[in-house]
Amino acid sequence: MAPCHLLLQIRTAPRMKKFAKILLACLCLLLASVAALLGYSEWTVSDARHYTYDDVDAVPYNRVALVLGTSKYLIGGSPNHYFKYRIKAAAELYNNGKVDYILVSGDNATVQYNEPRQMRRALIQAGIPASAIYSDYAGFRTLDSIVRAKEVFGQARFTVVSQAFHNERAIFIARHFGIEAVGFNALDPSAYQGIKTRVREVFARLMGLLDLYVLDKGPKFLGEPIVIGGPIPCQPLSTIGASQPCLPIPSVAPVQKPLDKATSAATATSAATATSAATATSAATATAP
C-alpha cells in the first residue's frame, strides 16, 4: 500500500488527483478480481482430488491408462523428473494388472519435438510390451489429450497418469465431458525443481475454467477413430505429416457365419444321402463274385 499512499500524496491539480484515485481504485479492483478468480479456480479444480490415488493397490481397474505428456529433458539438457516419474507410474499400473493398455499423449508439433515417441521408448525400456502402447501425437494441451482419448480412441473411462496437481485438472476436464476418469499420482519432484511448474499450474487452472465455461474450447485436431486393442495404425511422427514405419498388422481369419435351420437341414440331408450311397456301393462291391 506504500506506493498507493505516495501516489495520492503527489501535489497535482485537483483533476489529476481525482483521475489518480479512479485509476488506483480500478487497479485494486482488477487485482482483487484476479485473486478471487484464481482462488475460485484452485478450489473448484482441487475438488477432483477425490478421484486420485497415491497407492497402486487402491487404484480401480481401467482398460486404458492415459499418460499426459511432458518433455524427457529440460531446456538446459538435464533430465525432467516429471517425465521420469510418470513413466514409472504408468509401468507400475501395467505390471500390477490395473490397466491392459497405455495411451501416451503429448505434443508433436514438429519432427524434432515428439513427446509421445519419447514416452513410448521409455515405457518399452521399462519392460512394457510395444503392442500394449498406443500414441496420441496431437495432445497439445491437457484438454486435447482428455477429449481425444474419448473421441478418437473411444475411451469413456480411463486412468490418468501424471503428478497430483496435474491429475486434478485433467480429471476436472474429463468429468466436464462426461468421462469417468480417475488419476494415479506419479511422484512429485522436489519443491525447488517444481516451483515454476506449480506457479504455472495456478494460472492453467484459471484458463481451464475459461476454456470450458466461457470460450467453449475443444481439441485442436480430432481425426479418424483408432481402436485400442486392434492393429496399431500408421500415425504421423508429427502433425505436419511425416510418417512413421507401420507395425505389421496381424492376419485375422475370416469369421464363418452360422447356418440357418433350413441350410443346416439341407446340408445334413445331403451328407446323409452321400454316406448312404457310399455305403451301398461298398456293400455291392463286397458281395460281387
Side-chain angles (χ1 to χ4, degrees):
M1 296 300 295
C4 299
H5 179 70
L6 292 175
L7 179 62
L8 295 177
Q9 294 298 321
I10 297 176
R11 295 182 178 180
T12 58
R15 181 176 295 180
M16 291 300 296
K17 282 187 176 182
K18 184 176 181 180
F19 176 76
K21 289 181 179 180
I22 294 174
L23 182 62
L24 179 61
C26 291
L27 178 60
C28 292
L29 181 61
L30 177 62
L31 292 175
S33 299
V34 171
L37 285 173
L38 289 174
Y40 177 75
S41 63
E42 180 71 17
W43 173 74
T44 303
V45 175
S46 295
D47 191 54
R49 67 181 179 275
H50 301 299
Y51 299 103
T52 65
Y53 300 86
D54 296 310
D55 182 5
V56 69
D57 293 330
V59 179
Y61 168 82
N62 274 323
R63 187 166 176 264
V64 174
L66 172 65
V67 187
L68 298 177
T70 186
S71 177
K72 186 176 182 179
Y73 300 102
L74 300 176
I75 295 178
S78 58
N80 182 358
H81 292 290
Y82 286 103
F83 179 96
K84 173 184 174 181
Y85 293 144
R86 290 180 197 182
I87 296 301
K88 181 180 179 181
E92 190 175 1
L93 283 175
Y94 184 87
N95 291 330
N96 282 274
K98 296 296 183 175
V99 297
D100 297 326
Y101 298 95
I102 298 175
L103 173 61
V104 291
S105 178
D107 191 351
N108 179 210
T110 67
V111 176
Q112 291 75 24
Y113 187 77
N114 195 320
E115 290 177 353
R117 182 171 57 182
Q118 290 177 333
M119 291 190 289
R120 177 182 174 85
R121 288 175 175 174
L123 284 169
I124 293 173
Q125 290 175 354
I128 306 301
S131 59
I133 307 170
Y134 287 73
S135 301
D136 176 11
Y137 294 94
F140 300 108
R141 301 187 308 155
T142 303
L143 185 146
D144 294 65
S145 297
I146 294 295
V147 176
R148 283 176 55 83
K150 178 183 180 182
E151 300 297 333
V152 176
F153 293 88
Q155 303 304 306
R157 57 183 303 155
F158 47 80
T159 301
V160 184
V161 179
S162 188
Q163 277 67 33
F165 66 88
H166 194 190
N167 274 342
E168 291 173 3
R169 177 160 54 93
I171 292 170
F172 176 79
I173 294 171
R175 297 275 165 173
H176 175 82
F177 286 99
I179 301 169
E180 296 182 33
V182 298
F184 181 45
N185 298 330
L187 291 175
D188 258 331
S190 66
Y192 176 77
Q193 290 177 312
I195 187 168
K196 290 176 64 177
T197 303
R198 293 302 186 89
V199 171
R200 186 176 62 184
E201 177 65 19
V202 173
F203 292 94
R205 294 188 174 197
L206 176 58
M207 286 305 302
L209 289 180
L210 294 176
D211 285 343
L212 296 180
Y213 297 107
V214 179
L215 303 177
D216 194 26
K217 279 197 173 183
K220 188 173 183 180
F221 298 115
L222 285 176
E224 295 297 323
I226 297 174
V227 179
I228 291 184
I232 298 179
C234 299
Q235 293 179 322
L237 277 179
S238 75
T239 51
I240 61 175
S243 297
Q244 72 171 1
C246 297
L247 296 178
I249 299 177
S251 58
V252 180
V255 178
Q256 295 183 351
K257 295 182 179 180
L259 300 176
D260 56 26
K261 292 182 178 180
T263 306
S264 299
T267 303
T269 302
S270 300
T273 303
T275 303
S276 299
T279 303
T281 302
S282 299
T285 303
T287 56

